[in-house]
Amino acid sequence: MEFVADLHIHSHFSRATSRDLTFEHLARWAQLKGVTVVGSGDIAHPGWLQEMRDRLEPAEDGLFRLKDDLAAAVQQTVPPACQAPVRFLLAGEISNIYKRHGQTRKVHNVVCAPDFDTVAKIQAALERIGNIRSDGRPILGLDSRDLLEIILTISPQCHLIPAHIWTPWFAMLGSKSGFDSVEECFGDLTPAIFALETGLSSDPPMNWRISNLDRYTLVSNSDAHSPPKLAREATLFDTELSYAALFQALRTGDPATFRGTVEFFPEEGKYHLDGHRKCNVCWEPATTRAHQGLCSVCGKEVTIGVLHRVEALADRPAGQRPPRAAPFTSLIPLPEILGEAAGVGAGSKQVEQAYHKLLAALGPELFILRSAPLPAIAGAGGERLAEGIGRMRRGEVQADAGYDGDYGVIRLFAAAQPGAGLFQDGLFAARPGRPCGPARRRSTCACAALRPGSRPPASKWPNRRRPSPTPRRPRGCWHRSTPNSARR
Ligand SMILES: [Zn+2]
Ligand SMILES: [Zn+2]
């Protein structure tokens, strides 16, 4: 049976993460989200390894579960509609910063290991290289290739997945400090790399434009810094529950066992387009090229986003689908949909209450977003919520794309529409004083000013089904994404 895995998260030992990143909270949120296999996070941190040993016990081969007494306490906090087994897989991120071919490289890599003793050996090896105790995601002056060699020497069952490969500042193919290919980064050990994490700002069709990446399995994970962010992106499997079976699916990309990914709309990621957040300059790649990459406000180099970087390395036009390409689905986090539908912030108390009420009625968030029947959603959450989720599933969204570290905003409803439905249906406890639209909205976008009239009207939705999986992107910061139905 198909299950969801999220193999790249963090623990409370990582900088700028939630104190709630404990195995108990993770086990609870995995059930609320509908995730079966969760990465442990922070594999290099000795304190976190101690917590693994204290709180987890071996389950299936290479997988772990919460010890019984802890699990029983967690189950008290999970509604019956969401209760399901959760497994942990030992995996965590390492930040490699080093010189290669005369340039500074900053690459994040996810390392996976089959058991506690192997993790202890990895930590012992890494502690000889740098400080692994001050940050759950340690920064090591260690070449990515050499990290791979270290873990493979410790155990051939260890694996390395380059993390969020397009992020400008910290990734294998990043514009600022990455490489132009997997081979350039991993050299003679390239054959040991079989999966790449596409990150929040890119989706599979963007990666399909680089034929060099065809032989890699494209995975997605949340990179969560707090439990509620779990599975905002995730990978789908249909294998037996075991470490070896999961990696066999990733290694082969066999469509019977590797079932594709659950994705953000890539415009929602923090580095989709180019620009300067401080200067409120947000550009499509072509606009950036027309300005020789220099900000029109401050004159400094803009941060090159993922779309631009993909275009720079692409050897295929948008819209072509390589033979091995796996299916994927683009989703919007349920709290964002609830917030937009009701005209309140996604982080508001009202949304939180409505969220848990819906999960208790229908089941885990990913089930609600991906496959719950719309009439059931309407029954539990109102017609407007069902309409919003239907639009998301059909890809009828408007995107205000992220750039230079600022998340984008994906909208399902025109800004002026009131959010009455949810209140009439009683999903929210009280009417808000003032509808405020989406949680966050950017005031202006420089490319709209540069290209007057480039913005598609807010009130029209694309209802065409596109034959090709990647749309031609309209100029300007507003995009429409491909219907999920056109993606398989
Ligand atoms: Zn990272
Ligand atoms: Zn600027």
Side-chain angles (χ1 to χ4, degrees):
M1 218 176 67
E2 189 174 282
F3 63 88
V4 178
D6 180 359
L7 302 180
H8 175 185
I9 66 152
H10 288 277
S11 82
H12 62 90
F13 284 105
S14 276
R15 299 248 167 100
T17 57
S18 162
R19 267 185 289 178
D20 283 347
L21 280 164
T22 63
F23 286 111
E24 290 89 330
H25 282 288
L26 287 168
R28 170 171 183 256
W29 276 95
Q31 293 176 77
L32 298 181
K33 296 284 179 175
V35 182
T36 302
V37 179
V38 188
S40 64
D42 295 357
I43 197 169
H45 197 279
W48 191 232
L49 174 59
Q50 191 54 52
E51 289 193 29
M52 291 179 205
R53 292 187 191 273
D54 291 345
R55 291 179 156 73
L56 303 182
E57 62 186 13
E60 300 81 5
D61 192 22
L63 299 178
F64 297 81
R65 65 175 160 233
L66 215 50
K67 288 181 175 169
D68 280 344
D69 51 331
L70 302 172
V74 167
Q75 290 319 86
Q76 307 287 321
T77 68
V78 179
C82 298
Q83 291 187 4
V86 174
R87 298 292 182 259
F88 291 95
L89 185 150
L90 311 183
E93 190 180 39
I94 288 164
S95 177
N96 295 75
I97 301 188
Y98 54 103
K99 278 240 157 115
R100 181 81 174 268
H101 309 314
Q103 281 181 48
T104 300
R105 313 290 180 162
K106 300 179 184 173
V107 180
H108 286 186
N109 293 298
V110 175
V111 167
C112 309
D115 54 59
F116 297 146
D117 289 345
T118 304
V119 172
K121 286 179 193 161
I122 292 172
Q123 292 185 358
L126 297 183
E127 187 139 46
R128 287 194 284 272
I129 291 158
N131 182 351
I132 58 169
R133 291 173 188 271
S134 66
D135 189 346
R137 179 185 60 202
I139 297 173
L140 298 176
L142 173 65
D143 194 303
S144 297
R145 183 223 162 264
D146 298 342
L147 171 63
L148 179 54
E149 182 173 42
I150 287 169
I151 65 165
L152 290 177
T153 305
I154 288 167
S155 164
Q157 286 192 80
C158 289
H159 302 292
L160 185 151
I161 300 174
H164 44 72
I165 55 172
W166 295 104
T167 310
W169 305 95
F170 298 108
M172 185 182 69
L173 299 177
S175 59
K176 289 285 179 188
S177 45
F179 297 86
D180 286 348
S181 69
V182 184
E183 292 75 10
E184 214 186 297
C185 182
F186 288 98
D188 58 317
L189 294 186
T190 302
I193 302 291
F194 48 84
L196 306 174
E197 187 187 79
T198 58
L200 301 182
S201 299
S202 90
D203 65 359
M206 292 166 68
N207 290 268
W208 296 343
R209 297 191 55 189
I210 293 117
S211 62
N212 227 347
L213 303 184
D214 285 357
R215 75 177 190 84
Y216 299 98
T217 300
L218 301 177
V219 301
S220 282
N221 299 300
S222 67
D223 198 354
H225 285 44
S226 68
K229 300 283 189 211
L230 214 59
R232 54 186 176 171
E233 290 202 335
T235 304
L236 307 174
F237 292 90
D238 189 347
T239 66
E240 61 163 39
L241 272 185
S242 80
Y243 181 92
L246 260 79
F247 284 103
Q248 180 66 11
L250 293 181
R251 190 186 291 283
T252 61
D254 176 359
T257 55
F258 171 70
R259 305 291 293 153
T261 53
V262 169
E263 303 276 331
F264 258 31
F265 288 91
E267 297 89 347
E268 190 164 7
K270 287 194 279 193
Y271 293 101
H272 185 69
L273 291 183
D274 308 333
H276 259 177
R277 186 164 37 161
K278 278 193 316 229
C279 303
N280 211 22
V281 165
C282 165
W283 285 344
E284 286 278 325
T287 313
T288 307
R289 285 192 291 270
H291 286 82
Q292 280 83 44
L294 302 179
C295 175
S296 56
V297 174
C298 72
K300 296 194 183 120
E301 276 182 37
V302 297
T303 301
I304 298 297
V306 165
L307 183 63
H308 191 132
R309 181 67 177 152
V310 167
E311 285 188 3
L313 296 184
D315 58 352
R316 277 197 194 117
Q320 283 188 22
R321 189 188 179 99
R324 233 189 78 165
F328 71 99
T329 310
S330 302
L331 301 177
I332 301 168
L334 183 56
E336 288 178 27
I337 302 177
L338 284 167
E340 194 194 348
V344 297
S348 66
K349 199 81 203 159
Q350 289 147 300
V351 164
E352 191 188 335
Q353 284 168 355
Y355 177 86
H356 288 288
K357 211 165 147 184
L358 263 181
L359 264 57
L362 295 174
E365 177 177 344
L366 282 176
F367 167 72
I368 295 172
L369 295 176
R370 294 172 65 211
S371 45
L374 293 178
I377 295 175
E383 290 293 342
R384 187 171 163 84
L385 178 69
E387 173 62 25
I389 289 177
R391 287 180 183 181
M392 174 191 70
R393 289 180 185 171
R394 296 189 297 273
E396 294 169 8
V397 305
Q398 278 184 307
D400 187 359
Y403 68 104
D404 196 19
D406 207 5
Y407 280 109
V409 180
I410 308 292
R411 270 176 227 138
L412 294 161
F413 301 100
Q417 288 176 336
L422 286 179
F423 299 102
Q424 284 162 3
D425 292 312
L427 188 61
F428 282 79
R431 264 192 101 87
R434 181 170 58 92
C436 62
R440 190 174 54 78
R441 189 176 298 148
R442 211 166 289 124
S443 51
T444 55
C445 164
C447 45
L450 280 168
R451 299 175 179 278
S454 66
R455 206 162 101 167
S459 59
K460 285 197 181 155
W461 308 101
N463 43 24
R464 291 175 285 137
R465 301 262 163 114
R466 294 169 195 269
S468 70
T470 305
R472 184 182 58 77
R473 288 171 188 280
R475 294 201 174 117
C477 260
W478 288 62
H479 301 260
R480 295 154 172 180
S481 292
T482 320
N484 282 321
S485 54
R487 292 179 152 163
R488 312 218 161 234

